[in-house]
Amino acid sequence: MQAQELTLEELKQLYQSRISRDFVPNELRPWGNMRALALRGAYRAFAYREKGAVLAYGIFAHCPGAALLDYLAVDPALRGRGLGTRFFQALQGAARQLGAPFFLIEAESLESAQTPAEKEVRRRRIQFYTRCGCRETGIFSFLFGVEYQILLFPLEGEPGREQARAALESLYRLLFRVSAGASKRAPRPVCRIYEKGGAPGENKGFYMDLL
């Protein structure tokens, strides 16, 4: 299986036909933001096709030395058949083109789930990534009211927590800077990066706090 890179026009078509339906509104990056990132060379999309149809896709945001798997999805009709695992393996080759020693993944945290059903969905998502070779970093982020656990897939060596933290901070600064530049009036994002420790729910080590 190969992950083929999409052109900007192909990414736009994918956004209109699939991405906007595969992800709920609060997880959906505006097309204008994606386009601005892509034009800066900081956003690259890859897909697996059969007979011209996109069966799986993954999108990376990246800056020097850092990469984030911003979106990953498989055709709903084909889920549960191992396609996601095989495509994730194919994406590793694509990620190496970005020049980063690892890539990061945001997974909605278990602790912030509102219902047992939601918690189970999140647990399965995290288990998918760990089965694929990702590891938990111990870092969390809080973006626009949603808490994420940060996972890492190593491409070279074994990066430590500080390296992962620095990469995440660089990526968020890029993403929020481009978001602000895409509109005449800059938004006021809530972005926090932290560790957890001590009493339940207690946060420590705030690395970045943008309000």
Side-chain angles (χ1 to χ4, degrees):
M1 177 182 291
Q2 288 187 334
Q4 300 177 328
E5 186 164 7
L6 302 182
T7 65
L8 182 59
E9 182 58 33
E10 288 172 329
L11 175 57
K12 181 179 181 181
Q13 294 172 3
L14 184 69
Y15 185 91
Q16 295 171 337
S17 64
R18 292 282 300 280
I19 301 174
S20 58
R21 290 188 292 181
D22 288 340
F23 294 90
V24 296
N26 67 346
E27 296 178 348
L28 191 60
R29 188 178 299 282
W31 166 246
N33 182 238
M34 283 191 181
R35 181 179 182 276
L37 287 164
L39 290 175
R40 290 172 62 103
Y43 211 66
R44 294 172 67 177
F46 299 86
Y48 170 65
R49 294 187 179 103
E50 283 187 2
K51 298 180 180 178
V54 172
L55 303 188
Y57 61 88
I59 307 174
F60 289 97
H62 65 98
C63 58
L68 172 74
L69 183 57
D70 205 27
Y71 291 98
L72 174 67
V74 172
D75 187 320
L78 300 175
R79 292 173 186 169
R81 304 183 187 182
L83 177 60
T85 300
R86 296 195 302 275
F87 182 65
F88 188 90
Q89 293 170 345
L91 278 179
Q92 296 168 29
R96 287 187 171 88
Q97 300 176 30
L98 307 178
F102 56 87
F103 61 86
L104 301 172
I105 297 165
E106 299 163 327
E108 291 177 312
S109 73
L110 299 179
E111 293 179 8
S112 64
Q114 299 298 307
T115 66
E118 184 179 51
K119 186 172 184 178
E120 182 57 28
V121 169
R122 295 182 181 191
R123 188 188 307 279
R124 288 199 300 268
R125 186 175 298 138
I126 292 171
Q127 288 175 341
F128 165 79
Y129 285 123
T130 55
R131 284 197 306 270
C132 288
C134 300
R135 61 177 176 82
E136 298 184 30
T137 63
I139 299 170
F140 291 76
S141 68
F142 183 85
L143 305 174
F144 300 101
V146 181
E147 183 181 70
Y148 296 92
Q149 297 175 224
I150 305 301
L151 292 87
L152 178 152
F153 185 87
L155 297 168
E156 299 176 9
E158 286 296 329
R161 183 176 297 181
E162 283 301 307
Q163 191 175 357
R165 185 276 309 162
L168 187 64
E169 181 173 340
S170 296
L171 287 159
Y172 282 173
R173 291 194 183 280
L174 166 71
L175 294 172
F176 291 135
R177 184 170 65 246
V178 172
S179 294
S183 64
K184 293 183 179 179
R185 186 172 63 182
R188 299 183 64 194
V190 176
C191 173
R192 295 173 181 166
I193 301 175
Y194 51 92
E195 297 175 296
K196 288 186 176 181
E202 178 185 339
N203 299 332
K204 66 176 184 178
F206 276 76
Y207 300 117
M208 182 169 67
D209 193 353
L210 299 179
L211 298 176

